[in-house]
Structure formats: C-alpha cells, structure tokens
Amino acid sequence: MTTVKETITQRLTERFAPASLEVIDESHLHAGHAGARPEGETHFRVRIVSAAFDGLSRVDRHRLV
C-alpha cells in the first residue's frame, strides 16, 4: 500500500523533475482540526526546487503545483 506522502512525492517528481524535494507530514500539528484523521496523512508541507518554476511568480508556482 502506498502512503499519501509517497504518492505526493511520486507525482511531483514525475511532473517537475525537481533538483530538491521535501514532503513533510505535518498532520500531527493539525490534530482535532477539520479534515484531520487520527491515522494522520492529512496535512503536508512541500519544499520543491525545479527549473520548471524559473521565471514564475510565487503565486504561479503554487498554482502549478
């Protein structure tokens, strides 16, 4: 079974061929919030560096992801 983190990593890698990629599970920080599940894997932070983002604004990069 593939985890949500693995799926996110795979899709971003395939789409952007990143020079650097971090997918950080921050679900524990959102316990009790709407959408949070006890088993986790609901909230992630992504840090990605890719040539695909060259020349794009921060908002455009976010939209692309």
Side-chain angles (χ1 to χ4, degrees), residues 1-62:
M1 177 176 269
T2 305
T3 66
V4 174
K5 180 178 178 177
E6 290 168 341
T7 300
I8 292 169
T9 300
Q10 178 184 357
R11 288 183 183 177
L12 291 175
T13 299
E14 289 171 0
R15 172 63 178 89
F16 298 108
S20 173
L21 174 62
E22 287 182 81
V23 179
I24 304 138
D25 187 349
E26 293 186 343
S27 300
H28 65 283
L29 299 174
H30 300 274
H33 293 186
R37 295 186 313 258
E39 61 273 12
E41 292 208 317
T42 57
H43 294 79
F44 293 88
R45 177 180 306 270
V46 173
R47 294 183 181 138
I48 183 170
V49 177
S50 172
F53 302 127
D54 288 350
L56 297 178
S57 71
R58 184 180 211 174
V59 172
D60 287 338
R61 285 182 251 161
H62 282 214

